[in-house]
């Protein structure tokens, strides 16, 4: 009897040990996705030539963070940081946190570039807190939250494990100036020979969204109708509002389509609805290229997208398009599309957001990352991000 009890005890302990061993051997889906993340980025990102050595690598610091991921929040935080290594404003996560960095340019108001040893503010978003505080294009950004801007930029990249001098300085400065979503910003700027001054600015996430219509219609001194989109190229009510505005115009009236407030992009349905007013037959407006398919199959894939005329909706008057650094993503696609069908495009360089973003669900957790996966071109083959508008004539510059 004693032997039988000992035998049963041994079997029970063995079963428990086997169960524990199996439990310990189970993998954490969030950590699995953390380890898979660099490969997914490398496989699907459409612009590897922008990266050192032409391929994506997770810095050793972030590799260590990947091994420490245990839950969804940890995975999302890692994905945010891993995507920032790309220095691509169009690469973001599908979920984020209250203290995440602001998505730029959607929630930014200063376009900053490194110029020599300093950082120059090239453009200020119209109606933004920065503009209201008197910050102007041409000012120099001196410090962020009291830290000299170059030191802040270096710290930004060092925190991601990127070696000093290797990160994109302009990208970092724009993100830092846009700030974290849950707090105000303190920026020190200098205009010309004046003394530096510090401005306190709310974060754009903290501002209550105004109940703006999708667009507004005014008229300039020369009688042209100005249709200004209020960052609305992704709104369902934009198409009927645009159709109503166009239907109310005198036939042949000159039109100015103002895309200088379309930083958040939108969708092709709205863009094609707008362009459809200005064509009488199927017309090419954009070229798409999908590098991931060539990587997977060895066979390249590229196609031309057309805009089609809309029944009962046509305007034959001249069209001018205004753009700025706050013309982003689908705003840029609409601009190059209108240019392809005969409109003039005037203004500064646009946001230069790369390609078309696809949602990629990480295989174990379903966490979404958004990456430029298609390359986009104007119909003449110019990369969308390299498109050069005409300069604004001095007599019409605002």
């Amino acid at each position: 009897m004693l032997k039988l009890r000992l035998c049963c005890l041994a079997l029970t302990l063995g079963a428990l040990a086997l169960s524990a061993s199996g439990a310990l051997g189970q993998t954490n889906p969030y950590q699995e996705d953390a380890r898979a993340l660099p490969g997914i980025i490398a496989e699907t990102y459409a612009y590897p030539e922008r990266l050192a050595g032409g391929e994506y690598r997770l810095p050793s610091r972030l590799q260590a963070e990947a091994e420490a991921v245990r839950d969804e929040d940890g995975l999302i935080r890692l994905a945010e940081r891993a995507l920032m290594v790309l220095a691509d404003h169009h690469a973001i996560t599908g979920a984020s946190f209250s203290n995440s960095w602001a998505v730029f340019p959607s929630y930014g108001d200063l376009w900053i570039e490194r110029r020599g040893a300093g950082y120059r503010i090239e453009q200020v978003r119209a109606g933004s807190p920065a503009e209201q505080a008197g910050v102007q294009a041409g000012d120099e950004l001196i410090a962020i939250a009291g830290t000299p801007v170059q030191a802040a930029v270096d710290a930004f990249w060092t925190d991601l494990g990127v070696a000093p001098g290797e990160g994109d300085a302009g990208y970092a400065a724009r993100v830092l100036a846009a700030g974290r979503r849950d707090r105000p910003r303190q920026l020190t700027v200098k205009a010309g020979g004046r003394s530096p001054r510090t401005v306190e600015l709310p974060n754009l996430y903290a501002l209550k969204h105004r109940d703006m219509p999708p667009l507004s219609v005014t008229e300039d001194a020369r009688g042209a109708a100005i249709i200004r989109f209020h960052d609305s190229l992704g709104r369902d009510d934009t198409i009927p509002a645009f159709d109503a505005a166009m239907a109310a115009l005198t036939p042949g009236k000159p039109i100015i389509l103002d895309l200088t407030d379309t930083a958040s992009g939108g969708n092709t349905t709205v863009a094609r609805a707008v362009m459809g007013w200005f064509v009488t037959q199927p017309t090419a407006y954009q070229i798409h290229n999908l590098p991931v398919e060539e990587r997977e199959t060895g066979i390249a894939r590229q196609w031309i997208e057309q805009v089609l005329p809309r029944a009962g909706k046509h305007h034959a008057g001249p069209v001018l398009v205004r753009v700025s650094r706050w013309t982003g993503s689908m705003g840029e696609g609409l601009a190059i599309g209108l240019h392809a069908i005969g409109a003039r495009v005037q203004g500064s360089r646009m946001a230069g957001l790369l390609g078309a973003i696809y949602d990629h669900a990480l295989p174990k957790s379903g966490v979404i990352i958004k990456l430029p996966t298609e390359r986009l071109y104007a119909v003449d083959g110019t990369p969308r991000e390299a498109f050069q508008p005409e300069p604004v004539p001095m007599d019409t510059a605002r």
Side-chain angles (χ1 to χ4, degrees):
M1 181 66 71
L2 180 60
K3 287 184 178 180
L4 180 60
R5 287 178 179 173
L6 289 173
C7 182
C8 288
L9 179 61
L11 289 171
T12 301
L13 291 173
L16 288 172
L18 183 61
S19 176
S21 175
L24 290 172
Q26 288 178 359
T27 55
N28 182 306
Y30 301 107
Q31 188 177 75
E32 282 192 70
D33 278 352
R35 291 170 174 167
L37 180 62
I40 293 170
I41 294 173
E43 290 166 9
T44 58
Y45 187 55
Y47 296 86
E49 72 279 3
R50 299 179 64 251
L51 307 175
E55 60 182 291
Y56 180 82
R57 293 187 182 90
L58 202 63
S60 57
R61 178 166 188 165
L62 297 189
Q63 291 176 19
E65 292 179 17
E67 292 302 312
V69 167
R70 292 294 181 271
D71 56 23
E72 183 173 76
D73 283 1
L75 179 59
I76 293 171
R77 186 71 74 186
L78 173 72
E80 284 185 326
R81 290 165 62 75
L83 292 176
M84 281 188 165
V85 172
L86 296 171
D88 184 336
H89 291 303
H90 225 189
I92 58 176
T93 54
S96 53
F97 304 99
S98 61
N99 65 346
S100 294
W101 291 108
V103 171
F104 188 92
S106 297
Y107 290 91
D109 52 7
L110 296 173
W111 192 280
I112 302 162
E113 294 285 357
R114 184 174 182 176
R115 295 288 179 251
Y119 288 80
R120 189 73 58 187
I121 297 170
E122 285 195 348
Q123 283 189 29
V124 180
R125 192 171 189 168
S128 69
E131 184 186 60
Q132 293 166 10
V135 181
Q136 298 182 350
D139 288 357
E140 185 178 357
L141 181 64
I142 302 296
I144 300 170
T147 301
V149 63
Q150 187 59 59
V153 165
D154 291 343
F156 176 90
W157 288 117
T158 300
D159 178 59
L160 296 172
V162 177
E166 290 188 5
D168 184 310
Y171 169 90
R174 292 188 289 272
V175 171
L176 288 164
R180 292 196 182 272
R181 306 178 190 192
D182 62 348
R183 66 202 69 172
R185 300 166 289 157
Q186 185 188 79
L187 305 176
T188 303
V189 297
K190 183 176 183 293
R194 300 178 184 175
S195 299
R197 67 187 183 97
T198 298
V199 293
E200 300 278 349
L201 303 175
N203 193 283
L204 269 63
Y205 283 84
L207 301 179
K208 292 182 178 179
H209 293 289
R210 293 176 294 170
D211 187 19
M212 291 283 287
L215 53 85
S216 57
V217 183
T218 56
E219 191 169 286
D220 73 1
R222 301 180 184 183
I226 304 173
I227 301 178
R228 178 176 171 81
F229 294 88
H230 301 303
D231 213 6
S232 58
L233 296 181
R235 286 174 54 169
D236 293 338
D237 56 350
T238 300
I239 295 175
F242 184 75
D243 289 349
M246 292 296 297
L249 298 180
T250 304
K253 187 179 184 68
I255 296 174
I256 298 172
L257 298 179
D258 190 334
L259 304 180
T260 59
D261 182 25
T262 57
S264 298
N267 62 64
T268 62
T269 303
V270 174
R272 286 181 284 109
V274 171
M275 290 185 286
W277 272 89
F278 307 108
V279 296
T280 57
Q281 60 185 4
T283 307
Y285 82 91
Q286 186 170 242
I287 299 173
H288 301 250
N289 181 279
L290 192 60
V292 66
E293 188 162 329
E294 183 173 8
R295 291 173 199 156
E296 291 175 352
T297 67
I299 307 301
R301 183 182 180 192
Q302 183 165 293
W303 65 98
I304 297 174
E305 187 170 5
Q306 294 182 319
V307 58
L308 306 179
R310 299 178 62 200
K313 296 177 173 59
H314 181 65
H315 189 83
V319 180
L320 177 68
V321 183
R322 288 179 178 165
V323 297
S324 74
R325 284 295 197 181
W326 311 109
T327 305
S329 194
M330 196 64 249
E332 299 175 81
L334 181 53
I336 67 167
L338 288 163
H339 183 263
I341 64 178
R344 296 175 62 193
V345 180
Q346 289 183 347
S348 71
R349 290 286 298 272
M350 298 184 285
L353 297 181
L354 296 174
I357 57 174
Y358 284 23
D359 285 0
H360 300 278
L362 301 184
K364 300 294 184 179
S365 65
V367 165
I368 299 293
I369 61 172
K370 297 172 177 284
L371 279 172
T373 304
E374 276 183 19
R375 300 175 77 115
L376 298 175
Y377 301 86
V379 293
D380 65 358
T382 300
R384 187 182 73 179
E385 64 274 12
F387 179 81
Q388 291 275 10
E390 300 175 17
V392 178
M394 292 299 296
D395 63 337
T396 60
R398 292 185 298 169

